[in-house]
Amino acid sequence: MTMIKNKKLSKYVRYIILLMASCIFIAWMNYELPTSEAIQIATNDNLTHKEQFSAMSALAYKDNQDSQAFYLLYSMLFYGHGTPSSPEAALVMLEKSANAGFGPAQEELAFIYLNGNKHYKPNVNLAHHWLKKAAMSGMKKSLAYLNSGPEKNS
């Protein structure tokens, strides 16, 4: 008899848990994640590329703290989006973003310094510095690289 009651209770508990999970999921689906001001500028179709670059610059240098805006400026400068392409200025923006603690910028900088390219020379010491910072910021690619061992990183 107790076993039957426990099975019924277990069935009801599972039903309640499923119902609560469904309510949470529905509430989550209707919740709009806050969008950063930098993303709003970058995705604003009403602005020209030059206006986006100008607004992004103003945001980045407002209290010199918007790490995501600096990261987006890096991309705009590197690819010439709203401004002439300047890999040197782009690297400065990427470093500002990384120094402000933006994980994706730290990881990007780490792999730029690790591999180098036609615009940037490799620098193993800086690469490892930024790999560690990026890994500490939760960047999985950097963490995996650091955990792969020196023999695999050669």
Side-chain angles (χ1 to χ4, degrees):
M1 183 86 168
T2 316
M3 185 98 142
I4 294 172
K5 285 183 183 177
N6 285 342
K7 284 186 179 182
K8 283 184 181 179
L9 180 63
S10 175
K11 183 179 177 180
Y12 290 120
V13 169
R14 284 185 290 196
Y15 175 74
I16 290 170
I17 290 171
L18 181 61
L19 183 63
M20 287 175 25
S22 297
C23 290
I24 291 169
F25 179 74
I26 290 167
W28 176 73
M29 290 300 292
N30 290 325
Y31 176 73
E32 284 190 37
L33 294 173
T35 305
S36 75
E37 199 172 343
I39 296 296
Q40 289 174 3
I41 292 169
T43 59
N44 187 337
D45 293 333
N46 295 323
L47 297 175
T48 66
H49 294 315
K50 284 186 177 184
E51 290 170 331
Q52 286 177 330
F53 181 79
S54 179
M56 195 69 70
S57 296
L59 178 61
Y61 284 102
K62 179 182 172 184
D63 299 328
N64 211 21
Q65 294 179 346
D66 196 318
S67 61
Q68 193 172 29
F70 280 120
Y71 185 71
L72 291 170
L73 278 174
Y74 151 71
S75 180
M76 295 171 96
L77 282 160
F78 189 83
Y79 294 105
H81 182 81
T83 185
S85 177
S86 175
E88 298 80 19
L91 188 63
V92 170
M93 294 301 116
L94 186 59
E95 288 173 341
K96 285 181 177 286
S97 181
N99 281 321
F102 192 56
Q106 293 169 337
E107 188 164 81
E108 180 86 14
L109 198 54
F111 285 97
I112 283 173
Y113 282 133
L114 188 65
N115 301 315
N117 61 34
K118 69 179 183 176
H119 301 289
Y120 311 119
K121 293 181 181 176
N123 183 324
V124 176
N125 291 333
L126 284 173
H128 285 299
H129 167 79
W130 287 114
L131 280 166
K132 290 175 190 173
K133 291 265 191 186
M136 289 173 54
S137 292
M139 303 306 296
K140 291 180 172 43
K141 185 177 174 183
S142 296
L143 186 60
Y145 185 86
L146 289 171
N147 287 335
S148 66
E151 65 281 350
K152 294 180 183 176
N153 296 335
S154 306

